[in-house]
Amino acid sequence: VQLQASGGGSVQPGGSLRLSCAASGIIFSVRVMGWYRQLPGKQRELVASITNSGSTNYIDSVKGRFTISRGSSRSTILLQMNSLKPEDTAVYYCNGAISIPGYEYDYRTYWGQGTQVTVSS
């Protein structure tokens, strides 16, 4: 299983970006997927997540500005980021708890490569 993230870039404060993440490979089930971010010298933090039932969770600092959703397939997620602030600048990582055939209840954590988001005037 591999997770491929895309959509980062540079924007001015108040701008918008959309990140996408697609899991590929032979997948049985996706329990939850989400986005983390990491600032230089700091620990990686969970930004938003979405479960297989559609329940979402956000850190307080992005509520009302970011929206996580599923893409066209069950193993694709999107993160719409609006009203971006300089403090949103970070490397964003896609994450998923995924099981494969033969190990249907053994959910393992997979990470995508990071994508840089820079918010600066």
Side-chain angles (χ1 to χ4, degrees):
V1 176
Q2 291 187 325
L3 271 62
Q4 181 70 40
S6 62
S10 296
V11 294
Q12 293 186 338
S16 298
L17 284 173
R18 191 173 78 165
L19 305 182
S20 65
C21 175
S24 62
I26 302 175
I27 295 170
F28 177 79
S29 176
V30 177
R31 185 168 64 189
V32 61
M33 291 184 73
W35 290 96
Y36 286 70
R37 66 186 180 188
Q38 187 166 23
L39 282 69
K42 296 196 174 182
Q43 287 189 332
R44 201 172 290 187
E45 64 176 359
L46 176 64
V47 176
S49 63
I50 184 167
T51 68
N52 58 3
S53 63
S55 296
T56 58
N57 182 53
Y58 300 90
I59 58 170
D60 287 345
S61 61
V62 307
K63 287 180 179 178
R65 300 188 297 122
F66 290 13
T67 303
I68 190 168
S69 62
R70 290 208 192 93
S72 56
S73 76
R74 64 188 174 104
S75 57
T76 300
I77 59 169
L78 307 172
L79 184 68
Q80 180 66 42
M81 305 185 293
N82 297 328
S83 302
L84 281 160
K85 303 176 181 180
E87 51 264 42
D88 295 318
T89 296
V91 179
Y92 284 70
Y93 296 89
C94 176
N95 165 283
I98 297 169
S99 69
I100 62 174
Y103 302 89
E104 288 82 1
Y105 299 104
D106 181 14
Y107 287 90
R108 299 200 174 188
T109 298
Y110 296 87
W111 290 94
Q113 86 286 7
T115 184
Q116 178 71 44
V117 171
T118 302
V119 185
S120 174
S121 55

